[in-house]
Amino acid sequence: EPEVTQTPSHQVTQMGQEVILRCVPISNHLYFYWYRQILGQKVEFLVSFYNNEISEKSEIFDDQFSVERPDGSNFTLKIRSTKLEDSAMYFCASTSGTVNSPLHFGNGTRLTVT
Amino acid sequence: AQSVTQLGSHVSVSEGALVLLRCNYSSSVPPYLFWYVQYPNQGLQLLLKYTSAATLVKGINGFEAEFKKSETSFHLTKPSAHMSDAAEYFCAVSEEGGSYIPTFGRGTSLIVHP
């Protein structure tokens, strides 16, 4: 069964550095998402992406964050200047696009900001 | 606006005992409801979903959930817990006519004792 893949599985970075988290969604899916999960807390929506542009974003997704689909397969999340509170598990997800279609998640990237 | 409340951040059961994980939702329109499971170091996987067909929904690994509109609930059950069921469980809701962005609950950690 096709799956969403994320790299790296774990990223350690220093405060103020830029990081790029990478995702390859399922190939025939149309909607792409980033969620994050701070340790012990709920899974929080960051941003959704459709037709090569952001369709919705949460208040968490401020100017430090950006997303790109640079080619036909990759979907990236960039954090421009990381803060300690950005430490979390970041999940990429994709779906075919109907409202009752479940999201397919990657295994996540654990970001640790020191 | 849609929201989900999962009662109990941790549920502990003995192997062979009934599993009951609670989820209550809030939605202004007919909801679509999902349960996802997250095993350690993995992404979220779909267990089951409710999409306005049968109110009792059967999922993978022997889990099922019943949609009760009068109680705005979608509790997850399994008659007999296995050690392999130990994981984090997330309830999620999206709305008919809404965006393709499900809202997740805080998650319930299921602990299974031998």
Side-chain angles (χ1 to χ4, degrees):
Chain A
E1 184 176 319
E3 55 182 34
V4 176
T5 57
Q6 289 185 245
T7 54
S9 56
H10 193 182
Q11 173 93 45
V12 181
T13 189
Q14 289 189 322
M15 196 168 51
Q17 295 296 304
E18 175 183 286
V19 293
I20 297 176
L21 310 184
R22 303 181 189 279
C23 170
V24 178
I26 295 173
S27 61
N28 63 347
H29 282 181
L30 302 174
Y31 289 79
F32 314 113
Y33 307 80
W34 284 101
Y35 282 81
R36 80 172 185 189
Q37 184 183 25
I38 295 172
L39 186 64
Q41 299 188 25
K42 67 192 299 183
V43 175
E44 300 173 294
F45 167 72
L46 292 178
V47 64
S48 62
F49 193 86
Y50 170 71
N51 199 26
N52 286 318
E53 60 183 24
I54 291 173
S55 49
E56 287 197 43
K57 59 182 181 179
S58 72
E59 63 275 8
I60 302 169
F61 194 87
D62 61 22
D63 292 344
Q64 294 297 320
F65 291 88
S66 62
V67 289
E68 252 192 339
R69 189 155 161 83
D71 51 44
S73 59
N74 290 284
F75 179 51
T76 62
L77 174 70
K78 181 193 292 186
I79 308 175
R80 226 176 309 281
S81 177
T82 51
K83 303 187 281 285
L84 294 177
E85 54 265 37
D86 294 327
S87 294
M89 185 73 102
Y90 288 81
F91 291 106
C92 174
S94 67
T95 185
S96 58
T98 56
V99 71
N100 62 357
S101 297
L103 269 59
H104 294 254
F105 284 84
N107 284 345
T109 294
R110 180 168 297 285
L111 177 65
T112 302
V113 182
T114 61
Chain B
Q2 61 198 32
S3 67
V4 164
T5 302
Q6 290 185 243
L7 298 175
S9 58
H10 294 83
V11 169
S12 182
V13 300
S14 298
E15 193 173 19
L18 171 72
V19 175
L20 171 61
L21 305 182
R22 299 178 188 274
C23 172
N24 288 89
Y25 70 90
S26 172
S27 175
S28 55
V29 298
Y32 296 109
L33 295 157
F34 307 85
W35 275 100
Y36 289 83
V37 60
Q38 183 184 26
Y39 297 105
N41 301 314
Q42 295 186 27
L44 282 69
Q45 304 170 36
L46 181 71
L47 265 182
L48 51 80
K49 66 177 183 179
Y50 166 76
T51 58
S52 75
T55 56
L56 182 62
V57 182
K58 294 188 185 299
I60 61 172
N61 301 336
F63 283 92
E64 62 182 36
E66 186 172 8
F67 172 70
K68 291 186 176 179
K69 185 178 178 181
S70 60
E71 299 177 9
T72 60
S73 68
F74 191 58
H75 301 331
L76 182 70
T77 61
K78 182 174 180 178
S80 176
H82 295 160
M83 296 296 291
S84 60
D85 294 326
E88 192 84 13
Y89 291 81
F90 294 91
C91 184
V93 61
S94 61
E95 291 181 336
E96 186 175 320
S99 68
Y100 303 132
I101 301 171
T103 299
F104 285 82
R106 193 171 286 275
T108 298
S109 179
L110 177 64
I111 302 161
V112 182
H113 298 287

